[in-house]
Amino acid sequence: MSTKTDVKEEKKNLNFIEQIVMGDVEKGLNGGRVQTRFPPEPNGYLHIGHAKAICLDFGIAERFGGTCNLRFDDTNPVKEDVEYVDSIQEDIKWLGYQWENIYYASDYFQQLHDLAIRFIKEGKAYVDEQSAEEIAKQKGTPTTPGTNSPYRDRSIEENLDLFERMSKGEFPDGSMILRAKIDMAHPNMHFRDPIMYRIITTHPHHRTGNQWKVYPMYDFAHGQSDYFEGVTHSLCTLEFEVHRPLYDYYIDQFATDEYRPKQREFNRLNITYTVMSKRKMLQLVQEGLVRGWDDPRMPTICGLRRRGYTPESIRSFINKIGYTKYEALNDVSLLEAAAREDLKPRATRVCAILDPIKLVITNYPEGTTEDLVMENNPDNETAGTRIVPFGREVYIERGDFREEADKDFYRLSPGGREVRLKGAYIIQATGCEKDAEGNVTTVYATYDPNTKSGTEGGNKKVKSTINWVDVDSSVEAEIRLYDRLFAVENPSAEEGDFRDLLNPDSMKVITGARVEKSLADAKPGDKYQFLKIGYFNTDLDTKDGKLVFNRTVSLKG
Ligand code: ATP
Ligand code: MG
């Protein structure tokens, strides 16, 4: 039994949209039912902004024992494609959500068309033959009324005839539109005779083919679709708040019962150093400015997945930033922090050397190797251990050796300090070999056999520990390091072409890196922490013995 205080407590933990829904359920609105929908237009891949809507739509249905449907808002054949329909389903499932039903706004084309005819018959709609520019000029401003179209008062018969002929494809695209006849002086600009239908004859629809020559506008389709489906809470982003009265108006014109879907709005997700618009992302893809929708620099769900983000890390980020009534710009470092937190106990810790130089341990017996036992993840008891081969020759990072070193350099230098090879022995550099240009090619060192990690001598403390991989057993890898896609914090707020704001150094590809043997069989999606370097995801390009890793995020923000 829950008491009044329990309910109060519970309410405090809900976001403001959940509180609204809870209030509605308590009041028994629409029979106390909760039904939501996630309504993407299949004109691009989902981005992390959509994840915010998905978490709310599906989350609310889950929390209140309701249902959430996936509805494709496919009312504009010019930009839509089945490729997007498929990817959207894949991404929602990957995020961990399951819809009750899949619907398409295009399933309602007949119903909507019938409704449009009913509007015409009731004197609530007319066909306007003016150009888009003329219509725009007549809109007025929020403080001055608009001007009536000269076609506003044509007869019902003429409107019916024209709309029928529009629907048959007798007129070219853009030559006329069907408008609602409401009020050109209405204080809400969206009521100034909004467009209901437009002609599109030039593009077949991805589901209905060439059956339709006229297509409903968002405002005329969305609320009606919600109503047809029985949606109780139609959640969308803040820019639709001004559309809400029109959403209600259209439904009021034909609804035959008490039931009403309720539109409520929350803030869009915006993240620093990226763009969150399908139109802009499509441009980046089409112009080859990124490697595809799933380029790990993209804010798309598939890009983040390829980068190494898990569904849990994305959901945890969305949960942390929350839902408000005010637009904001969230710092990308919050997203990165969520990835680190999630990957820390999950990612196996291994050695990778990005810029290898060979190190020969001259006093280590030739022709011998030993198997060292390494912990897979000290932050995860269940992660177990693995065997890492160690021998006379290893690769170390070029930067971990200096021929001439000052007292502040704690790593390898001839005659300098003792250094521990991670999980192995303490060594001391004795010299090096260089090529004609003076680049170091081989470092020489000696080791102390009594300092093996995991033995008593392993406790000997030294100032620094460096990474290594065994020369014989390690494997080559390509490593892709990513930086911000854009050079400015809020590219959408800048004037000019957003493409000029791309960060020219957003991707660095390192070939010839070496990773330890245990990574030889890494499969796309396998996640690692490369010690000292960051969290990495095995890339989709990994195949036939070629290893590719993406840096998800560095170890520290
Ligand atoms: P874009 O401008 O990127 O094309 P959109 O709003 O046109 O986005 P839709 O496919 O129409 O994309 O969006 C489906 C749902 O996702 C809508 O309910 C929309 O409000 C929501 N949504 C889209 N972008 C964001 C965002 N950045 N943050 C939160 N919700 C979003
Ligand atoms: Mg849209």
Side-chain angles (χ1 to χ4, degrees):
M1 280 291 282
S2 64
T3 65
K4 258 195 179 150
T5 28
D6 286 344
V7 173
K8 244 188 178 168
E9 266 313 297
E10 198 189 327
K11 254 193 178 165
K12 265 203 302 201
N13 296 326
L14 299 179
N15 66 49
F16 82 99
I17 297 273
E18 290 168 330
Q19 290 186 9
I20 291 171
V21 175
M22 188 166 184
D24 290 343
V25 170
E26 284 170 353
K27 276 185 287 193
L29 187 78
N30 294 324
R33 258 182 344 107
V34 173
Q35 182 175 326
T36 59
R37 85 288 170 262
F38 173 63
E41 181 176 1
N43 62 350
Y45 282 65
L46 295 183
H47 51 61
I48 186 163
H50 292 112
K52 179 168 177 169
I54 290 171
C55 290
L56 190 67
D57 292 326
F58 285 91
I60 284 196
E62 231 163 71
R63 186 183 278 268
F64 296 99
T67 54
C68 179
N69 297 311
L70 170 58
R71 179 172 77 237
F72 289 103
D73 220 342
D74 55 347
T75 53
N76 181 2
V78 179
K79 294 179 185 161
E80 296 160 4
D81 200 276
V82 277
E83 175 193 354
Y84 304 132
V85 170
D86 296 341
S87 74
I88 287 169
Q89 295 181 45
E90 184 185 344
D91 289 347
I92 297 172
K93 282 193 230 160
W94 180 77
L95 279 172
Y97 295 103
Q98 182 57 55
W99 51 86
E100 190 82 5
N101 298 295
I102 297 190
Y103 296 129
Y104 294 83
S106 55
D107 289 340
Y108 312 128
F109 280 168
Q110 188 62 55
Q111 267 168 288
L112 291 167
H113 196 261
D114 292 347
L115 196 58
I117 291 173
R118 175 170 158 186
F119 268 54
I120 298 174
K121 286 183 177 161
E122 292 174 357
K124 291 175 186 162
Y126 63 98
V127 172
D128 196 336
E129 290 172 57
Q130 298 181 98
S131 68
E133 295 74 43
E134 283 169 315
I135 290 173
K137 265 192 245 156
Q138 294 165 354
K139 269 254 135 170
T141 68
T143 48
T144 55
T147 315
N148 285 355
S149 161
Y151 298 99
R152 198 172 197 264
D153 292 318
R154 60 185 359 153
S155 71
I156 289 174
E157 289 65 37
E158 199 182 351
N159 281 318
L160 283 172
D161 175 61
L162 283 172
F163 188 55
E164 191 187 331
R165 289 165 61 198
M166 278 169 71
S167 306
K168 282 186 182 152
E170 285 186 25
F171 305 114
D173 294 19
S175 58
M176 49 185 82
I177 52 170
L178 183 71
R179 294 177 79 172
K181 189 171 174 177
I182 308 180
D183 180 1
M184 286 304 290
H186 201 286
N188 181 334
M189 302 279 286
H190 293 281
F191 276 90
R192 297 188 183 174
D193 291 9
I195 305 176
M196 291 164 60
Y197 265 88
R198 62 202 188 289
I199 303 174
I200 301 174
T201 56
T202 44
H203 291 75
H205 187 276
H206 68 103
R207 294 186 76 238
T208 58
N210 292 308
Q211 191 189 344
W212 295 95
K213 311 294 181 196
V214 291
Y215 291 88
M217 300 300 290
Y218 173 89
D219 282 322
F220 193 69
H222 203 90
Q224 279 83 317
S225 305
D226 285 343
Y227 183 88
F228 298 151
E229 287 167 10
V231 168
T232 59
H233 294 87
S234 182
L235 309 173
C236 58
T237 35
L238 284 174
E239 70 272 22
F240 291 103
E241 191 170 359
V242 283
H243 295 244
R244 196 206 291 176
L246 185 60
Y247 175 100
D248 293 333
Y249 167 86
Y250 278 140
I251 296 173
D252 286 341
Q253 302 314 301
F254 69 91
T256 50
D257 49 16
E258 292 279 287
Y259 151 68
R260 287 291 183 282
K262 186 168 181 174
Q263 178 185 304
R264 285 297 177 271
E265 309 82 13
F266 60 92
N267 65 327
R268 276 182 99 79
L269 174 61
N270 299 299
I271 296 186
T272 53
Y273 299 102
T274 193
V275 291
M276 208 82 83
S277 133
K278 284 184 280 192
R279 182 180 58 79
K280 288 180 181 163
M281 294 191 309
L282 178 66
Q283 226 174 332
L284 296 177
V285 172
Q286 282 179 337
E287 294 172 15
L289 297 168
V290 294
R291 291 181 165 189
W293 284 101
D294 68 348
D295 186 304
R297 291 166 291 180
M298 291 279 270
T300 48
I301 302 297
C302 54
L304 290 166
R305 172 162 72 229
R306 189 165 183 177
R307 177 87 170 240
Y309 276 81
T310 60
E312 291 82 359
S313 59
I314 293 176
R315 293 206 306 260
S316 135
F317 164 72
I318 299 287
N319 191 36
K320 273 192 195 122
I321 57 169
Y323 296 83
T324 72
K325 291 183 200 177
Y326 309 97
E327 292 298 1
L329 179 64
N330 289 110
D331 200 313
V332 67
S333 62
L334 289 171
L335 178 62
E336 293 171 349
R340 284 186 198 102
E341 195 185 353
D342 178 68
L343 292 170
K344 196 175 183 209
R346 195 193 274 270
T348 305
R349 294 186 198 178
V350 296
C351 266
I353 304 293
L354 302 194
D355 186 7
I357 40 170
K358 194 186 273 186
L359 177 131
V360 179
I361 303 164
T362 50
N363 63 336
Y364 191 89
E366 265 180 79
T368 23
T369 56
E370 56 190 302
D371 286 338
L372 303 180
V373 179
M374 302 270 186
E375 248 186 303
N376 284 333
N377 191 337
D379 283 318
N380 181 349
E381 284 170 9
T382 64
T385 58
R386 70 185 185 286
I387 301 292
V388 178
F390 178 80
R392 191 170 190 263
E393 296 188 349
V394 296
Y395 289 114
I396 60 166
E397 287 289 357
R398 185 169 293 278
D400 284 341
F401 174 78
R402 273 193 211 163
E403 195 180 7
E404 314 274 343
D406 55 37
K407 64 177 180 16
D408 295 328
F409 187 72
Y410 291 129
R411 286 160 290 161
L412 285 174
S413 183
R417 294 187 155 86
E418 289 188 314
V419 167
R420 177 171 292 282
L421 291 175
K422 174 81 184 167
Y425 296 95
I426 289 175
I427 61 168
Q428 194 164 25
T430 53
C432 67
E433 209 169 272
K434 289 186 276 189
D435 63 16
E437 278 95 55
N439 300 311
V440 176
T441 53
T442 313
V443 174
Y444 295 100
T446 54
Y447 85 126
D448 179 348
N450 299 315
T451 57
K452 186 172 175 176
S453 296
T455 68
E456 207 172 308
N459 295 329
K460 182 175 171 184
K461 290 277 173 282
V462 287
K463 286 264 189 206
S464 92
T465 299
I466 64 171
N467 288 336
W468 58 274
V469 298
D470 170 54
V471 166
D472 287 338
S473 65
S474 63
V475 278
E476 195 177 310
E478 176 178 317
I479 291 179
R480 300 176 184 165
L481 303 177
Y482 300 102
D483 199 348
R484 293 158 170 162
L485 185 53
F486 285 87
V488 298
E489 208 172 55
N490 191 2
S492 307
E494 304 280 332
E495 302 211 342
D497 192 327
F498 79 102
R499 291 166 299 182
D500 297 338
L501 306 170
L502 283 165
N503 172 9
D505 303 315
S506 58
M507 177 165 76
K508 191 171 158 196
V509 177
I510 295 173
T511 53
R514 304 291 301 191
V515 296
E516 63 169 76
K517 185 184 175 216
S518 68
L519 272 64
D521 301 320
K523 301 274 173 298
D526 287 352
K527 296 181 173 49
Y528 301 96
Q529 184 193 113
F530 289 178
L531 291 164
K532 293 190 179 176
I533 309 174
Y535 291 100
F536 285 80
N537 188 35
T538 314
D539 188 72
L540 295 175
D541 288 341
T542 294
K543 53 177 171 284
D544 307 328
K546 185 192 175 200
L547 290 170
V548 182
F549 297 98
N550 295 315
R551 182 161 67 188
T552 312
V553 65
S554 58
L555 290 183
K556 291 200 184 84

Short mmCIF file of all heavy atoms in Angstrom, two decimals, residues 102-130:
data_model
loop_
_atom_site.label_atom_id
_atom_site.label_comp_id
_atom_site.label_asym_id
_atom_site.label_seq_id
_atom_site.Cartn_x
_atom_site.Cartn_y
_atom_site.Cartn_z
N ILE A 102 4.28 -0.94 -34.84
CA ILE A 102 4.85 0.04 -35.76
C ILE A 102 3.72 0.60 -36.60
O ILE A 102 2.94 -0.16 -37.19
CB ILE A 102 5.89 -0.59 -36.71
CG1 ILE A 102 7.07 -1.14 -35.91
CG2 ILE A 102 6.38 0.44 -37.72
CD1 ILE A 102 8.24 -1.57 -36.78
N TYR A 103 3.62 1.91 -36.63
CA TYR A 103 2.63 2.58 -37.47
C TYR A 103 3.35 3.52 -38.42
O TYR A 103 4.49 3.91 -38.19
CB TYR A 103 1.66 3.41 -36.60
CG TYR A 103 0.81 2.58 -35.66
CD1 TYR A 103 0.75 2.91 -34.30
CD2 TYR A 103 0.05 1.51 -36.11
CE1 TYR A 103 -0.05 2.19 -33.42
CE2 TYR A 103 -0.74 0.77 -35.24
CZ TYR A 103 -0.79 1.12 -33.89
OH TYR A 103 -1.57 0.40 -33.03
N TYR A 104 2.62 3.90 -39.46
CA TYR A 104 3.15 4.88 -40.42
C TYR A 104 2.08 5.95 -40.63
O TYR A 104 0.91 5.60 -40.83
CB TYR A 104 3.44 4.22 -41.77
CG TYR A 104 4.56 3.20 -41.72
CD1 TYR A 104 4.32 1.89 -41.32
CD2 TYR A 104 5.85 3.55 -42.08
CE1 TYR A 104 5.34 0.95 -41.28
CE2 TYR A 104 6.88 2.61 -42.05
CZ TYR A 104 6.62 1.32 -41.64
OH TYR A 104 7.64 0.40 -41.60
N ALA A 105 2.48 7.20 -40.62
CA ALA A 105 1.52 8.26 -40.93
C ALA A 105 0.93 8.00 -42.31
O ALA A 105 -0.23 8.32 -42.57
CB ALA A 105 2.20 9.63 -40.87
N SER A 106 1.72 7.39 -43.20
CA SER A 106 1.21 7.12 -44.56
C SER A 106 0.04 6.13 -44.55
O SER A 106 -0.72 6.08 -45.51
CB SER A 106 2.34 6.62 -45.46
OG SER A 106 2.98 5.50 -44.91
N ASP A 107 -0.09 5.35 -43.45
CA ASP A 107 -1.26 4.47 -43.34
C ASP A 107 -2.55 5.28 -43.22
O ASP A 107 -3.63 4.74 -43.44
CB ASP A 107 -1.15 3.57 -42.09
CG ASP A 107 -0.08 2.51 -42.25
OD1 ASP A 107 0.29 2.21 -43.40
OD2 ASP A 107 0.39 1.98 -41.22
N TYR A 108 -2.41 6.53 -42.84
CA TYR A 108 -3.60 7.37 -42.63
C TYR A 108 -3.86 8.31 -43.79
O TYR A 108 -4.70 9.20 -43.68
CB TYR A 108 -3.45 8.18 -41.34
CG TYR A 108 -2.99 7.37 -40.16
CD1 TYR A 108 -1.89 7.76 -39.39
CD2 TYR A 108 -3.64 6.17 -39.81
CE1 TYR A 108 -1.46 7.00 -38.32
CE2 TYR A 108 -3.20 5.41 -38.74
CZ TYR A 108 -2.11 5.83 -38.00
OH TYR A 108 -1.67 5.06 -36.95
N PHE A 109 -3.12 8.16 -44.90
CA PHE A 109 -3.28 9.11 -46.01
C PHE A 109 -4.74 9.19 -46.47
O PHE A 109 -5.26 10.27 -46.74
CB PHE A 109 -2.38 8.74 -47.19
CG PHE A 109 -0.95 9.19 -47.02
CD1 PHE A 109 0.06 8.72 -47.87
CD2 PHE A 109 -0.58 10.10 -46.02
CE1 PHE A 109 1.38 9.14 -47.73
CE2 PHE A 109 0.73 10.51 -45.87
CZ PHE A 109 1.71 10.03 -46.73
N GLN A 110 -5.41 8.03 -46.56
CA GLN A 110 -6.80 8.06 -47.01
C GLN A 110 -7.69 8.80 -45.99
O GLN A 110 -8.46 9.68 -46.37
CB GLN A 110 -7.32 6.63 -47.23
CG GLN A 110 -8.69 6.58 -47.90
CD GLN A 110 -8.66 7.20 -49.30
OE1 GLN A 110 -7.87 6.80 -50.16
NE2 GLN A 110 -9.51 8.21 -49.53
N GLN A 111 -7.53 8.43 -44.71
CA GLN A 111 -8.33 9.07 -43.66
C GLN A 111 -8.11 10.58 -43.63
O GLN A 111 -9.04 11.36 -43.46
CB GLN A 111 -7.93 8.51 -42.29
CG GLN A 111 -8.77 7.34 -41.82
CD GLN A 111 -8.09 6.68 -40.61
OE1 GLN A 111 -7.07 6.02 -40.77
NE2 GLN A 111 -8.66 6.87 -39.42
N LEU A 112 -6.86 10.98 -43.78
CA LEU A 112 -6.53 12.41 -43.73
C LEU A 112 -7.11 13.13 -44.94
O LEU A 112 -7.60 14.25 -44.83
CB LEU A 112 -5.00 12.60 -43.66
CG LEU A 112 -4.36 12.13 -42.34
CD1 LEU A 112 -2.83 12.05 -42.48
CD2 LEU A 112 -4.73 13.06 -41.19
N HIS A 113 -7.05 12.46 -46.07
CA HIS A 113 -7.58 13.04 -47.30
C HIS A 113 -9.10 13.21 -47.17
O HIS A 113 -9.66 14.26 -47.52
CB HIS A 113 -7.22 12.14 -48.49
CG HIS A 113 -7.37 12.78 -49.81
ND1 HIS A 113 -8.49 12.59 -50.60
CD2 HIS A 113 -6.58 13.63 -50.51
CE1 HIS A 113 -8.35 13.30 -51.72
NE2 HIS A 113 -7.19 13.93 -51.68
N ASP A 114 -9.75 12.19 -46.62
CA ASP A 114 -11.20 12.27 -46.39
C ASP A 114 -11.51 13.44 -45.47
O ASP A 114 -12.49 14.18 -45.67
CB ASP A 114 -11.73 10.98 -45.74
CG ASP A 114 -11.64 9.78 -46.68
OD1 ASP A 114 -11.41 9.99 -47.89
OD2 ASP A 114 -11.79 8.64 -46.20
N LEU A 115 -10.69 13.59 -44.46
CA LEU A 115 -10.89 14.67 -43.50
C LEU A 115 -10.72 16.03 -44.16
O LEU A 115 -11.48 16.98 -43.89
CB LEU A 115 -9.88 14.49 -42.36
CG LEU A 115 -10.13 15.27 -41.08
CD1 LEU A 115 -11.49 14.93 -40.49
CD2 LEU A 115 -9.02 14.93 -40.07
N ALA A 116 -9.75 16.11 -45.06
CA ALA A 116 -9.53 17.37 -45.78
C ALA A 116 -10.78 17.73 -46.60
O ALA A 116 -11.22 18.89 -46.62
CB ALA A 116 -8.30 17.26 -46.68
N ILE A 117 -11.34 16.72 -47.24
CA ILE A 117 -12.55 16.96 -48.04
C ILE A 117 -13.69 17.41 -47.12
O ILE A 117 -14.44 18.34 -47.44
CB ILE A 117 -12.92 15.69 -48.84
CG1 ILE A 117 -11.85 15.48 -49.92
CG2 ILE A 117 -14.32 15.79 -49.44
CD1 ILE A 117 -11.97 14.20 -50.69
N ARG A 118 -13.76 16.79 -45.97
CA ARG A 118 -14.80 17.21 -45.01
C ARG A 118 -14.60 18.67 -44.60
O ARG A 118 -15.56 19.44 -44.50
CB ARG A 118 -14.72 16.28 -43.79
CG ARG A 118 -15.65 16.69 -42.69
CD ARG A 118 -15.71 15.63 -41.62
NE ARG A 118 -16.18 16.25 -40.38
CZ ARG A 118 -16.23 15.60 -39.22
NH1 ARG A 118 -15.86 14.34 -39.14
NH2 ARG A 118 -16.65 16.22 -38.15
N PHE A 119 -13.36 19.06 -44.36
CA PHE A 119 -13.06 20.46 -44.02
C PHE A 119 -13.56 21.37 -45.14
O PHE A 119 -14.15 22.42 -44.89
CB PHE A 119 -11.55 20.65 -43.83
CG PHE A 119 -11.09 20.48 -42.41
CD1 PHE A 119 -11.37 19.32 -41.70
CD2 PHE A 119 -10.34 21.47 -41.78
CE1 PHE A 119 -10.93 19.16 -40.39
CE2 PHE A 119 -9.89 21.32 -40.47
CZ PHE A 119 -10.19 20.16 -39.77
N ILE A 120 -13.28 20.98 -46.40
CA ILE A 120 -13.70 21.82 -47.53
C ILE A 120 -15.23 21.94 -47.54
O ILE A 120 -15.79 23.04 -47.63
CB ILE A 120 -13.21 21.23 -48.88
CG1 ILE A 120 -11.68 21.20 -48.92
CG2 ILE A 120 -13.76 22.06 -50.05
CD1 ILE A 120 -11.10 20.50 -50.15
N LYS A 121 -15.88 20.80 -47.36
CA LYS A 121 -17.36 20.79 -47.39
C LYS A 121 -17.94 21.65 -46.28
O LYS A 121 -19.02 22.23 -46.43
CB LYS A 121 -17.88 19.36 -47.28
CG LYS A 121 -17.69 18.55 -48.55
CD LYS A 121 -18.30 17.17 -48.40
CE LYS A 121 -18.16 16.40 -49.72
NZ LYS A 121 -18.31 14.94 -49.49
N GLU A 122 -17.24 21.71 -45.15
CA GLU A 122 -17.74 22.51 -44.02
C GLU A 122 -17.28 23.96 -44.10
O GLU A 122 -17.46 24.73 -43.16
CB GLU A 122 -17.27 21.87 -42.70
CG GLU A 122 -17.94 20.53 -42.44
CD GLU A 122 -17.39 19.80 -41.21
OE1 GLU A 122 -16.43 20.31 -40.58
OE2 GLU A 122 -17.92 18.72 -40.90
N GLY A 123 -16.66 24.31 -45.23
CA GLY A 123 -16.21 25.69 -45.41
C GLY A 123 -14.99 26.03 -44.58
O GLY A 123 -14.71 27.20 -44.30
N LYS A 124 -14.23 25.01 -44.18
CA LYS A 124 -13.08 25.24 -43.31
C LYS A 124 -11.75 25.13 -44.05
O LYS A 124 -10.68 25.08 -43.42
CB LYS A 124 -13.09 24.22 -42.16
CG LYS A 124 -14.22 24.43 -41.18
CD LYS A 124 -14.22 23.29 -40.17
CE LYS A 124 -15.43 23.38 -39.24
NZ LYS A 124 -15.64 22.08 -38.56
N ALA A 125 -11.79 24.98 -45.36
CA ALA A 125 -10.55 24.88 -46.13
C ALA A 125 -10.77 25.38 -47.54
O ALA A 125 -11.89 25.31 -48.06
CB ALA A 125 -10.07 23.42 -46.15
N TYR A 126 -9.70 25.89 -48.15
CA TYR A 126 -9.79 26.39 -49.53
C TYR A 126 -8.47 26.17 -50.26
O TYR A 126 -7.42 26.04 -49.64
CB TYR A 126 -10.18 27.86 -49.55
CG TYR A 126 -9.17 28.79 -48.89
CD1 TYR A 126 -8.24 29.51 -49.66
CD2 TYR A 126 -9.15 28.97 -47.51
CE1 TYR A 126 -7.33 30.37 -49.08
CE2 TYR A 126 -8.24 29.83 -46.91
CZ TYR A 126 -7.32 30.52 -47.70
OH TYR A 126 -6.41 31.37 -47.11
N VAL A 127 -8.59 26.14 -51.58
CA VAL A 127 -7.40 25.97 -52.41
C VAL A 127 -6.87 27.35 -52.77
O VAL A 127 -7.60 28.21 -53.24
CB VAL A 127 -7.74 25.17 -53.69
CG1 VAL A 127 -6.55 25.15 -54.64
CG2 VAL A 127 -8.16 23.75 -53.32
N ASP A 128 -5.59 27.54 -52.49
CA ASP A 128 -4.95 28.83 -52.76
C ASP A 128 -3.95 28.63 -53.89
O ASP A 128 -3.12 27.72 -53.84
CB ASP A 128 -4.23 29.32 -51.49
CG ASP A 128 -3.87 30.79 -51.58
OD1 ASP A 128 -3.75 31.32 -52.72
OD2 ASP A 128 -3.71 31.42 -50.52
N GLU A 129 -4.03 29.50 -54.91
CA GLU A 129 -3.14 29.37 -56.07
C GLU A 129 -2.01 30.38 -56.07
O GLU A 129 -1.30 30.53 -57.06
CB GLU A 129 -3.97 29.55 -57.36
CG GLU A 129 -4.90 28.39 -57.61
CD GLU A 129 -5.84 28.67 -58.77
OE1 GLU A 129 -5.34 28.95 -59.88
OE2 GLU A 129 -7.06 28.64 -58.56
N GLN A 130 -1.83 31.08 -54.97
CA GLN A 130 -0.75 32.06 -54.93
C GLN A 130 0.60 31.36 -54.77
O GLN A 130 0.68 30.22 -54.32
CB GLN A 130 -0.95 33.00 -53.75
CG GLN A 130 -2.22 33.81 -53.80
CD GLN A 130 -2.27 34.72 -52.58
OE1 GLN A 130 -1.92 35.88 -52.67
NE2 GLN A 130 -2.68 34.18 -51.45
#
